[in-house]
Amino acid sequence: QVQLVESGGGLVQAGGSLRLSCAASGRTFSSYNMGWFRQAPGKEREFVAVIAWIGGSTYYADSVKGRFTISRDNAKNTVYLQMNSLKPVDTAVYYCAAGDRYSTLGAEYNYWGQGTQVTVSS
């Protein structure tokens, strides 16, 4: 069992930066692939980034590639999402998720956090 708690969201102007954190409980955190997803009002949840549990391989949605960076600190049971050059279209609730598969599909993740709101003003 893994419990996930996101933090770091907030209001930022376009062009600004935020760093989201996702703290996990449970001693098996390091064995899970960790993903970030987001959901904007009236839209479906979409994949943002994933980091592998071993080797640290990463993969990003085209919409955030070059602007966002996912990382993890297994010693701290925490995964991060550094978001730079933010745009109003990045406004959404951001969720972290833990899963057995290295995947862009939300359905393949086993555990989810409660989400943190990111609002980017123009």
Side-chain angles (χ1 to χ4, degrees), residues 1-117:
Q1 188 80 5
V2 176
Q3 292 184 329
L4 305 172
V5 179
E6 302 96 335
S7 62
L11 174 64
V12 64
Q13 288 188 331
S17 299
L18 282 175
R19 188 177 81 155
L20 305 184
S21 299
C22 174
S25 64
R27 292 179 291 180
T28 59
F29 168 79
S30 61
S31 65
Y32 285 100
N33 300 293
M34 298 298 298
W36 283 97
F37 292 78
R38 66 186 182 186
Q39 187 166 20
K43 295 188 176 182
E44 294 187 353
R45 181 180 61 195
E46 65 173 355
F47 165 79
V48 175
V50 59
I51 186 165
W53 76 274
I54 188 169
S57 296
T58 59
Y59 185 78
Y60 298 91
D62 287 343
S63 59
V64 307
K65 200 173 297 182
R67 300 188 297 123
F68 290 11
T69 302
I70 187 171
S71 62
R72 68 189 296 163
D73 186 336
N74 288 339
K76 295 183 178 180
N77 280 9
T78 302
V79 63
Y80 304 97
L81 185 68
Q82 178 66 44
M83 307 186 294
N84 299 329
S85 302
L86 282 161
K87 306 174 182 179
V89 295
D90 295 317
T91 296
V93 177
Y94 283 71
Y95 300 89
C96 69
D100 297 319
R101 289 179 174 243
Y102 182 74
S103 176
T104 64
L105 300 177
E108 295 190 331
Y109 286 79
N110 307 93
Y111 304 102
W112 292 82
Q114 83 290 347
T116 185
Q117 176 70 46

